[in-house]
Amino acid sequence: TDVGHVLVYGITEAFMSQFDLTDVALPYADVFRAAADSGGFAVAAHAGRPRIGLAEHVEERGVSLDGVEAIEQLNGGSSDEENARALGLAEAQAQLGAEVAIASATVDGQPLYERMRVSDRMRLLSWTPRWELRLPGLMLRGLPAEAVRELKSFEADVVHVHGEFNADNIWAARIFNTPMILSPQGAFHPVALRKGRRIGKRLYINLARRLLYRRLKSFHAVSPAEAAHINALLGNVWVYCAPNGPSTSAHPSNGPEPSIGRKGDSPIRFLFVGRLEPLKGLDILFRAVASLDNSNSVRLNVVGGDENSLEKARLQALAARMKLNTSIRFIGQVTQEELPVHYNAADVCVMPSHYESFGLAALEAAACGRPVVASNVGGLPTIVLDGTTGYLVPSGRSDLMAERLCRLLSDDVLRSQLGAAARIHAETLGWDRSADSLLAQYRELVPVQLSSAIQAAGG
């Protein structure tokens, strides 16, 4: 819907006749009311990040649900993509000789990075919150005294905070009396600011202005577009631009060769990697694939998303209505180590997003020598050079996306040329260069020789 995901039980023909269920912007309250009027009931089930609830919709947006029975389900969690960014930067900085620690609260009782490959060059610092205070759209958590002592014992020269709207970030300003940098990771984009938890975000920004932002020496943006969003929200603050890098395991040898000179009727393999949420624009990609004259000769692998998420169910139903069941395969979540296998098994990577702060999946695909067709939004133009390493299309234009996909579908040599150029361009955006650039920025902030940095994961 126009507000969030809604799951409706007891669907009837009377309900179906009122809505076009391929529309991702159905009126929220009308869906609840129509479900009740037709003998069913609706569940507000807002999957993924950020967490948001029915009560907040009613309070913030004036949604009236009088006389409608509703059940609220909250779920979600940290983004592996955002965690991978902090880990990739930390790994690269450690390889360049910096002493690096990654600090974060535990998630479900487990260290945040426990299931991600972490080298012995880094120190992991994690803690279980001592107390929690839930406010509308915001959670405050207390750090145990032993966690504070351990963080201070690292004696960091620089603290780099990753992600925003996590009140744990404010603790960093209280614990460390050292220069600090903050990477919002796209959190200050107007779409992200409007996307749920708006009361909590306003509350957080008011707190952070007093307790965190005035302590920062600089913000770190991954693209000029993100730098503009930071300044639009916070005024004329110092922003340093340095792109993210791809996964440290992303290289062109972890899988089969692309379908150059393929035999017989082997299908062309398209790939999408990312969270399953409306902002990712998968419905646009599905429409583009469905409009291809030879859609049966295409395979689209969708990597990412929770196995039982409502968005996945919606997309599967949409694929069925478009008769794309044999063309689209939902892979689900994979580990960072497994991702390069999927990139290398693909011929073309597609990112139809309505917004991306950077577009890590596009960079990882390029690092594996795959051309990328992407929306011309956010940081994607930094990664995809239109006509050279892939193609950029206006967001939401499934017709233009289909045109570019058709061009690649029919030209093996073109795919090979764009992929080779993508690989070369990705080398200029690697973590080693980003880490070196940020270390140089750290040195400008530290009055003495830089020896250590701490990466604090938030978001």
Side-chain angles (χ1 to χ4, degrees):
T1 71
D2 57 350
V3 172
H5 294 89
V6 174
L7 180 62
V8 180
Y9 291 88
I11 289 288
T12 64
E13 287 296 329
F15 178 91
M16 294 288 288
S17 66
Q18 296 189 49
F19 301 109
D20 173 10
L21 297 184
T22 65
D23 184 358
V24 298
L26 293 174
Y28 185 85
D30 290 354
V31 171
F32 275 81
R33 198 162 287 108
D37 291 344
S38 60
F41 69 95
V43 179
H46 308 282
R49 299 179 69 252
R51 295 179 176 90
I52 185 168
L54 178 63
E56 186 171 6
H57 290 322
V58 172
E59 179 182 357
E60 289 185 19
R61 307 195 183 194
V63 174
S64 174
L65 295 176
D66 292 342
V68 177
E69 182 178 1
I71 301 172
E72 181 176 5
Q73 171 185 330
L74 296 178
N75 53 34
S78 299
S79 160
D80 279 350
E81 180 178 326
E82 292 174 0
N83 298 337
R85 292 172 186 170
L87 180 60
L89 176 60
E91 285 274 12
Q93 290 177 341
Q95 289 178 4
L96 292 173
E99 184 181 356
V100 183
I102 300 181
S104 71
T106 57
V107 177
D108 296 327
Q110 299 296 322
L112 179 63
Y113 291 92
E114 184 176 81
R115 57 193 176 88
M116 304 178 75
R117 188 172 58 189
V118 178
S119 75
D120 56 9
R121 290 186 294 268
M122 292 181 298
R123 181 175 168 186
L124 294 181
L125 306 175
S126 63
W127 65 86
T128 299
R130 184 164 53 92
W131 51 261
E132 294 181 349
L133 174 62
R134 294 178 181 270
L135 302 175
L138 182 67
M139 180 187 292
L140 304 178
R141 303 189 289 193
L143 270 68
E146 58 270 22
V148 175
R149 287 193 293 269
E150 185 177 20
L151 291 169
K152 287 184 174 180
S153 71
F154 185 70
E155 297 182 347
D157 296 307
V158 173
V159 175
H160 191 151
V161 179
H162 295 267
E164 262 295 55
F165 304 128
N166 180 349
D168 291 349
N169 294 351
I170 295 174
W171 280 110
R174 303 291 300 275
I175 294 171
F176 298 102
N177 188 27
T178 55
M180 297 179 63
I181 291 179
L182 189 147
S183 298
Q185 302 286 16
F188 293 162
H189 187 279
V191 172
L193 292 173
R194 293 194 303 268
K195 182 189 170 187
R197 292 198 306 168
R198 291 196 294 176
I199 290 177
K201 288 175 181 178
R202 288 196 297 268
L203 177 59
Y204 175 88
I205 289 173
N206 287 335
L207 286 172
R209 285 181 188 273
R210 299 186 186 96
L211 303 175
L212 176 61
Y213 298 155
R214 64 177 58 181
R215 279 285 322 280
L216 298 177
K217 292 293 186 180
S218 175
F219 283 87
H220 164 228
V222 297
S223 68
E226 184 176 32
H229 298 148
I230 294 171
N231 279 305
L233 178 66
L234 299 176
N236 190 23
V237 297
W238 177 254
V239 182
Y240 181 81
C241 277
N244 287 320
S247 164
T248 54
S249 59
H251 55 76
S253 61
N254 286 353
E257 290 299 314
S259 302
I260 304 299
R262 66 192 187 284
K263 297 180 180 180
D265 297 324
S266 300
I268 294 293
R269 298 169 299 232
F270 294 153
L271 175 68
F272 167 88
V273 175
R275 295 191 299 274
L276 300 188
E277 58 180 359
L279 272 179
K280 294 296 183 180
L282 268 170
D283 51 334
I284 304 299
L285 177 55
F286 287 9
R287 291 186 178 96
V289 171
S291 69
L292 297 174
D293 291 336
N294 49 354
S295 61
N296 289 332
S297 65
V298 168
R299 294 295 179 268
L300 169 61
N301 284 343
V302 177
V303 173
D306 294 334
E307 184 63 29
N308 298 314
S309 74
L310 296 179
E311 180 66 2
K312 181 176 180 179
R314 184 186 76 84
L315 291 169
Q316 287 175 322
L318 179 61
R321 286 193 293 274
M322 292 181 172
K323 296 180 170 52
L324 294 175
N325 298 43
T326 60
S327 298
I328 298 176
R329 181 185 175 201
F330 290 86
I331 305 295
Q333 290 184 336
V334 301
T335 66
Q336 288 293 316
E337 291 74 21
E338 294 171 320
L339 270 177
V341 175
H342 293 277
Y343 288 125
N344 283 285
D347 297 294
V348 179
C349 184
V350 191
M351 293 196 68
S353 309
H354 297 293
Y355 170 68
E356 289 286 346
S357 63
F358 181 64
L360 185 60
L363 181 55
E364 291 180 339
C368 291
R370 300 305 186 255
V372 179
V373 178
S375 300
N376 189 7
V377 297
L380 286 170
T382 303
I383 303 166
V384 182
L385 306 181
D386 190 37
T388 301
T389 68
Y391 295 110
L392 293 170
V393 299
S395 173
R397 291 294 301 273
S398 61
D399 56 334
L400 294 181
M401 180 161 286
E403 180 184 314
R404 301 299 187 270
L405 294 178
C406 185
R407 187 178 303 176
L408 292 170
L409 186 64
S410 61
D411 195 331
D412 294 353
V413 174
L414 177 62
R415 291 199 308 277
S416 180
Q417 291 173 340
L418 295 180
R423 171 65 176 163
I424 293 171
H425 180 55
E427 291 176 353
T428 71
L429 301 172
W431 274 125
D432 53 346
R433 298 198 182 195
S434 179
D436 189 51
S437 177
L438 279 166
L439 283 174
Q441 176 70 3
Y442 295 168
R443 291 187 182 97
E444 292 183 11
L445 303 177
V446 179
V448 295
Q449 180 65 35
L450 174 70
S451 62
S452 62
I454 189 166
Q455 305 290 336

